Amino acid sequence: MTDPAVALREILGPKGWLSGDDAEPFQRDWLDRYGLQPLGVARPASTAEMAAVVKACRQAGLAVVPQGGNTSLCGGAVAAQPNAVIVSLSRMTAIGEPDQESGSIAVDAGVVLAALHDALEPHGLMFPMHLGAEGSARIGGLIGTNAGGSQAFRYGMMQDLVLGLEVVMPDGAVWDGLRAVQKDNAGYQLRKLFCGSEGTLGIVARAILRLYPTPKQQASALLVMSDFAAAVSFGAFLRGEAGEFLTGLEFFSDVGLALALKHLPDLAYQLESRGDVYLLVELASGSTRVPLDDILASALEWGMEQRLVVDGALANSSAQRARFWRLREEQPEGQRLEGEQLKHDISVPPGAIARFIEAGAKICDNILPGVRINPFGHLGDGNIHYNLSPPEGRSDFNGKAGEFAEALAALATEMGGSFAAEHGLGRAKIAMADRNRAPIERDLMAQLKRAFDPQGTMNPGVLVRVRQ
Amino acid sequence: MTDPAVALREILGPKGWLSGDDAEPFQRDWLDRYGLQPLGVARPASTAEMAAVVKACRQAGLAVVPQGGNTSLCGGAVAAQPNAVIVSLSRMTAIGEPDQESGSIAVDAGVVLAALHDALEPHGLMFPMHLGAEGSARIGGLIGTNAGGSQAFRYGMMQDLVLGLEVVMPDGAVWDGLRAVQKDNAGYQLRKLFCGSEGTLGIVARAILRLYPTPKQQASALLVMSDFAAAVSFGAFLRGEAGEFLTGLEFFSDVGLALALKHLPDLAYQLESRGDVYLLVELASGSTRVPLDDILASALEWGMEQRLVVDGALANSSAQRARFWRLREEQPEGQRLEGEQLKHDISVPPGAIARFIEAGAKICDNILPGVRINPFGHLGDGNIHYNLSPPEGRSDFNGKAGEFAEALAALATEMGGSFAAEHGLGRAKIAMADRNRAPIERDLMAQLKRAFDPQGTMNPGVLVRVRQ
């Protein structure tokens, strides 16, 4: 039998097959928690090459690990077994011409999200997905993890934005589902099923995505809210009064603001007062005839009258808007620079955010008194990035990481929410899913996995554990 | 062994089990094309009863056929084998209290869509799905068929509006996925998979649905367009200029208008000119500060300058708005009253609608010269209800029904679209799917079916044929 590495190099050519030191940059995950040395990294330049690689791996019984931009926070895109082959999307980066009248575009799975944004800009079109990793994350990975981000409450998650897919199946066969229509009820919604399947059912090679016209005007405001309950009420009010314009409804806490200001000296906070919680509101419109600033100003006025809004400012320039957004966007970085941290990717029904914050604080303070809680995220869909830093004066969590994670997962579950809102399960959260979800749900997922990948070679050990 | 009918009556009580003549109203499908006499009709009043019924049927080896409002146009909700048990959702009609701050509601699967609309009205909330059958169609059936309707391009199809589900599995086990969050990436998106599975993987018992605030104002216009290409261009313009307000973008043809006016004497067409194609445009806003009428009037003006719009009128009252909508809504009825007809549920990329109409006309006229083509539907998502009436003076299609269906399906497929846009496959379109979709796609669906329903008792013969 041929050495599989030799066979793969043959398929891919020297630029397409990396091993030894060349493979090293692909080995570890974003948070440096997972990743064994792979047999090598396959970098196919086409669907046909990708299919040949997968087929060869299947024949040799090698695990296949799809990798997009390698920004997974759950270890879903690196190897956990020896001799795995990482299939990197990094050489499949073609962006098609957008179809203006249909509002869609065909792209290779290796396209970086920010590159897609840039490519669409001159056409007056946008792909409405924005998230912290957009400079690295690739479309295939975003589909595989069913990415959400800050505009998901308005435009949907990846599953809502995918019209068609081309997927290399675990045996190397290619499913061509590259249709360009929203309405296609000819059987099970395979295109949706692959969204969020974390590369365990196949590898997305190409996609047709839904596009929207770029808005012609925006209005942004940074608000100090009296508390989380006020933020929730104000969010509901905005949905009622300006719902069709809402493109951003981000919140962060004073804990996070303080950390960001402490560690990022060029960051500026320019409102007069501080509070427990801040809201970044953004409206956008495709019509120039909408008095967007007035609508936002009126909403603020109402919020102040109701004593929900303590202080606030409308952005009067795109520079000021960028400064507002940076306060929100630097939340993860400020906390990272503070030292050790624990991240939890929670969602609860939006109306329950304040209750979650209150109950979560009690739970966390019981586990480790003084632990600093830094929740930030997306008010519109109830997605809370519930991050912790050790108590002042401590540098660690006294071995309580697992206890925090489980208690918060149980609380989110109890409130009708999720402990894996938008980052997926990867390798990190399989046991948590097994504990927090009913056996029938996990069994259904195992059955699905077995149906699509009976030999279990496609990203094994991610999302669901399957006995072969 | 107990007689299964006796066992089922025992589970359900006399109100919950109908047989003989009492079962007759449930036997045939909407178009009266499908439906054998069932063993009986089970009408469970709760998830537990539904689960007990399904379990008993499984044990007795009886086919289970879920039925919502029985409005399927593809024969998906009636029996095709002797001794099947129809499980009707008609007694599970509870509507929960809407969660205002989260924008969601829990409902039983038997709730009629129009009843949900009515229940939400006093809360200032809406469930944004509208379709012809809303007075009969039930939520469970709408989920099972992944319904679309006239607002799908704006708010999504059923799969985009379902947050959580409770499903009775083919063995009678209950999957409780009643979570109330948009962002839940804890594994495969089972909730999305059940949308459009046509009752072949389980029966939806309850659902948590996404709600939106009711708009505070609307503006509607009926337009005569110069041709289909003009309608497509004008639709694209509206998406750019007023995209966030667009809640309706319906088209119909002069063939359909003539039939409706001929057969429905109380119908009134009040514009001065007629044309080949008409567009019904509707804008809505949650803000009272948006000059919605002005925005629509300006768009019309632009359309007239560009010679896309030939004539048009803005609705100046809700009565006039209703009259405009009736012209569109009576399209199916007008055609039905004309006599024999053929229905095709097509979607193509919205920008390709005019090309489809043109190419479709040539194809149809070749098959049966003079055949009358009556396309109407949803411009925003490219969904064309492409209906045919026999040539003037004929009362039938000369045995060409299959030829029309196959030729139009092939054309839609070739253009990147679907031959089963929003009505599903049911029993009617399985062979068509087998011909127009790649074997790998049909095989994946069969594998899915086998994984969830290994004994093949759940709505057998619908969506995909599986060799047991």
Side-chain angles (χ1 to χ4, degrees):
Chain A
M1 197 178 151
T2 337
D3 178 347
V6 173
L8 288 166
R9 193 167 42 221
E10 194 121 314
I11 292 167
L12 293 159
K15 270 170 67 183
W17 177 252
L18 307 177
S19 56
D21 285 356
D22 293 340
E24 222 236 284
F26 299 79
Q27 183 175 326
R28 297 291 291 173
D29 79 309
W30 189 260
L31 297 174
D32 199 24
R33 296 187 298 173
Y34 297 93
L36 292 186
Q37 191 180 6
L39 179 70
V41 177
R43 301 174 69 227
S46 67
T47 304
E49 278 187 15
M50 185 192 280
V53 166
V54 171
K55 194 173 173 187
C57 290
R58 174 69 162 258
Q59 282 165 353
L62 301 178
V64 170
V65 179
Q67 187 179 97
N70 198 13
T71 62
S72 169
L73 297 175
C74 299
V78 292
Q81 51 284 102
N83 284 325
V85 172
I86 289 176
V87 176
S88 165
L89 304 176
S90 52
R91 281 176 74 211
M92 292 174 65
T93 56
I95 300 177
E97 272 296 302
D99 178 340
Q100 282 272 4
E101 287 188 328
S102 301
S104 65
I105 190 168
V107 296
D108 280 0
V111 169
V112 170
L113 179 52
L116 178 59
H117 292 153
D118 292 346
L120 288 170
E121 212 236 302
H123 298 276
L125 292 167
M126 65 169 187
F127 181 63
M129 174 157 293
H130 287 280
L131 36 77
E134 64 189 47
S136 308
R138 298 181 190 271
I139 296 298
L142 294 162
I143 292 171
T145 55
N146 192 27
S150 61
Q151 299 193 345
F153 74 100
R154 165 74 184 270
Y155 295 101
M157 304 180 74
M158 209 65 193
Q159 64 195 355
D160 304 298
L161 298 169
V162 162
L163 296 175
L165 287 181
E166 180 180 68
V167 180
V168 174
M169 300 303 300
D171 62 357
V174 177
W175 171 56
D176 178 354
L178 283 173
R179 289 175 286 269
V181 287
Q182 184 191 12
K183 285 184 175 167
D184 176 23
N185 279 347
Y188 303 127
Q189 296 291 315
L190 297 177
R191 55 183 173 171
K192 307 290 177 180
L193 178 60
F194 283 108
C195 295
S197 64
E198 302 190 21
T200 63
L201 304 180
I203 312 179
V204 173
R206 297 188 74 207
I208 297 181
L209 304 174
R210 205 171 163 178
L211 302 178
Y212 286 81
T214 310
K216 297 192 186 66
Q217 57 163 333
Q218 285 177 314
S220 312
L222 180 65
L223 311 179
V224 184
M225 309 303 296
S226 55
D227 54 21
F228 275 97
V232 168
S233 299
F234 192 63
F237 173 78
L238 283 173
R239 275 197 296 275
E241 294 296 311
E244 70 258 25
F245 308 117
L246 258 185
T247 53
L249 198 53
E250 297 288 297
F251 70 91
F252 54 94
S253 79
D254 203 52
V255 173
L257 179 61
L259 290 176
L261 292 171
K262 171 177 169 193
H263 292 290
L264 298 157
D266 64 326
L267 208 60
Y269 177 79
Q270 292 164 325
L271 300 195
E272 282 184 20
S273 31
R274 298 271 287 263
D276 279 350
V277 53
Y278 303 86
L279 212 51
L280 179 52
V281 179
E282 192 147 287
L283 307 183
S285 176
S287 169
T288 50
R289 310 187 58 160
V290 172
L292 214 54
D293 283 321
D294 289 357
I295 289 173
L296 187 49
S298 299
L300 256 66
E301 216 168 283
W302 179 88
M304 287 179 164
E305 277 167 26
Q306 303 290 316
R307 300 183 185 278
L308 304 172
V309 177
V310 174
D311 194 4
L314 265 70
N316 52 27
S317 66
S318 61
Q320 195 177 7
R321 175 181 173 257
R323 279 197 297 276
F324 288 172
W325 268 99
R326 241 198 105 201
L327 292 171
R328 162 63 184 88
E329 282 166 350
E330 295 288 14
Q331 293 290 315
E333 187 61 7
Q335 186 158 31
R336 191 185 69 82
L337 293 169
E338 177 74 358
E340 197 152 330
Q341 59 168 325
L342 298 174
K343 287 171 176 280
H344 308 94
D345 175 31
I346 301 287
S347 69
V348 293
I353 290 176
R355 292 202 298 283
F356 183 92
I357 297 284
E358 195 184 348
K362 275 187 199 153
I363 288 172
C364 290
D365 205 63
N366 271 336
I367 295 173
L368 185 65
V371 66
R372 286 173 291 165
I373 303 170
N374 177 21
F376 56 88
H378 319 297
L379 196 85
D381 53 41
N383 184 190
I384 309 168
H385 298 296
Y386 194 93
N387 293 0
L388 304 177
S389 287
E392 292 281 1
R394 267 199 90 102
S395 64
D396 71 350
F397 292 93
N398 201 20
K400 306 276 194 182
E403 211 175 314
F404 282 117
E406 286 305 324
L408 293 166
L411 181 62
T413 299
E414 187 194 309
M415 295 177 77
S418 180
F419 50 86
E422 60 173 8
H423 299 161
L425 298 178
R427 301 185 185 287
K429 289 188 177 174
I430 289 190
M432 184 178 279
D434 290 344
R435 275 192 293 270
N436 283 279
R437 294 286 160 99
I440 185 175
E441 180 169 320
R442 301 297 292 161
D443 285 350
L444 284 173
M445 293 188 188
Q447 282 164 36
L448 250 170
K449 168 73 176 170
R450 273 188 224 105
F452 277 61
D453 181 22
Q455 298 188 29
T457 49
M458 190 56 78
N459 219 6
V462 165
L463 194 145
V464 64
R465 253 181 235 113
V466 177
R467 286 180 303 278
Q468 296 301 328
Chain B
M1 198 179 148
T2 337
D3 177 348
V6 173
L8 289 166
R9 194 167 40 221
E10 194 121 315
I11 292 168
L12 293 159
K15 271 171 66 183
W17 177 251
L18 308 178
S19 56
D21 286 354
D22 294 341
E24 220 238 284
F26 298 80
Q27 184 176 323
R28 297 290 292 173
D29 77 311
W30 189 259
L31 297 175
D32 198 24
R33 295 188 298 174
Y34 297 92
L36 292 186
Q37 191 182 6
L39 179 69
V41 177
R43 300 174 68 228
S46 67
T47 304
E49 280 187 11
M50 185 192 280
V53 167
V54 171
K55 194 174 172 187
C57 290
R58 174 70 161 257
Q59 283 165 351
L62 301 178
V64 170
V65 179
Q67 186 178 99
N70 197 15
T71 63
S72 169
L73 296 176
C74 300
V78 291
Q81 52 284 104
N83 285 323
V85 172
I86 290 177
V87 176
S88 165
L89 304 175
S90 51
R91 281 176 75 212
M92 294 176 66
T93 56
I95 300 178
E97 272 297 300
D99 178 341
Q100 283 273 3
E101 286 186 330
S102 301
S104 64
I105 190 168
V107 295
D108 280 0
V111 169
V112 170
L113 179 52
L116 178 58
H117 291 154
D118 292 347
L120 289 169
E121 212 238 301
H123 298 277
L125 292 167
M126 64 169 188
F127 180 63
M129 175 157 295
H130 287 281
L131 36 78
E134 65 190 46
S136 309
R138 298 179 190 273
I139 296 298
L142 294 163
I143 292 171
T145 54
N146 191 28
S150 61
Q151 297 192 347
F153 74 100
R154 164 73 183 271
Y155 295 101
M157 303 179 76
M158 211 64 194
Q159 64 196 353
D160 305 298
L161 298 169
V162 162
L163 296 174
L165 287 180
E166 181 180 67
V167 180
V168 174
M169 300 302 298
D171 63 357
V174 177
W175 171 56
D176 179 355
L178 282 173
R179 290 175 284 269
V181 288
Q182 183 191 12
K183 285 183 174 169
D184 176 23
N185 280 347
Y188 303 127
Q189 295 292 313
L190 297 178
R191 55 184 172 168
K192 305 291 176 181
L193 178 60
F194 283 108
C195 295
S197 65
E198 302 189 21
T200 63
L201 305 179
I203 312 181
V204 173
R206 296 188 75 209
I208 298 181
L209 304 175
R210 203 169 164 181
L211 302 178
Y212 287 81
T214 310
K216 297 191 186 68
Q217 58 163 331
Q218 287 177 312
S220 313
L222 179 65
L223 311 181
V224 183
M225 308 303 294
S226 55
D227 54 20
F228 275 96
V232 168
S233 298
F234 191 63
F237 173 77
L238 282 172
R239 276 198 296 275
E241 293 297 311
E244 70 257 25
F245 307 118
L246 258 185
T247 53
L249 198 53
E250 297 288 296
F251 69 92
F252 54 94
S253 77
D254 202 52
V255 173
L257 179 61
L259 289 176
L261 292 172
K262 171 179 170 190
H263 292 290
L264 299 155
D266 64 325
L267 208 60
Y269 177 78
Q270 292 164 325
L271 300 195
E272 283 185 21
S273 32
R274 296 274 286 267
D276 280 351
V277 53
Y278 304 86
L279 212 51
L280 179 52
V281 179
E282 192 147 287
L283 307 184
S285 176
S287 169
T288 51
R289 311 187 59 160
V290 172
L292 212 52
D293 283 320
D294 290 357
I295 289 172
L296 186 50
S298 300
L300 257 63
E301 214 169 289
W302 179 89
M304 286 180 166
E305 279 167 25
Q306 303 290 315
R307 302 183 182 276
L308 303 173
V309 177
V310 173
D311 193 4
L314 266 70
N316 52 28
S317 68
S318 61
Q320 194 177 9
R321 174 179 173 260
R323 279 197 295 276
F324 288 171
W325 268 100
R326 244 199 104 201
L327 292 172
R328 160 67 184 84
E329 282 167 350
E330 295 289 13
Q331 294 290 315
E333 187 60 6
Q335 187 158 33
R336 192 184 69 80
L337 292 169
E338 177 74 0
E340 198 153 328
Q341 58 169 325
L342 298 175
K343 288 171 173 283
H344 308 96
D345 175 29
I346 300 289
S347 69
V348 293
I353 290 178
R355 289 201 300 283
F356 183 90
I357 298 285
E358 195 184 351
K362 274 187 200 153
I363 288 171
C364 290
D365 205 63
N366 271 335
I367 294 174
L368 185 64
V371 69
R372 284 173 293 165
I373 304 170
N374 178 19
F376 57 88
H378 319 297
L379 196 86
D381 51 39
N383 185 188
I384 308 168
H385 298 299
Y386 193 93
N387 293 1
L388 304 178
S389 287
E392 293 282 1
R394 265 199 92 102
S395 63
D396 71 350
F397 293 94
N398 201 21
K400 306 277 194 182
E403 210 175 316
F404 282 118
E406 286 305 324
L408 294 166
L411 181 62
T413 300
E414 186 195 307
M415 294 176 79
S418 180
F419 50 86
E422 61 174 6
H423 300 161
L425 297 178
R427 300 185 187 286
K429 289 188 178 174
I430 289 190
M432 186 180 277
D434 289 345
R435 274 191 292 271
N436 282 279
R437 294 287 160 97
I440 185 175
E441 181 170 318
R442 300 298 291 159
D443 285 349
L444 284 171
M445 293 190 188
Q447 284 165 36
L448 249 168
K449 168 73 175 168
R450 272 187 225 105
F452 277 59
D453 181 21
Q455 297 185 32
T457 50
M458 189 56 79
N459 218 8
V462 164
L463 195 146
V464 65
R465 252 180 237 113
V466 177
R467 285 178 302 281
Q468 295 301 324

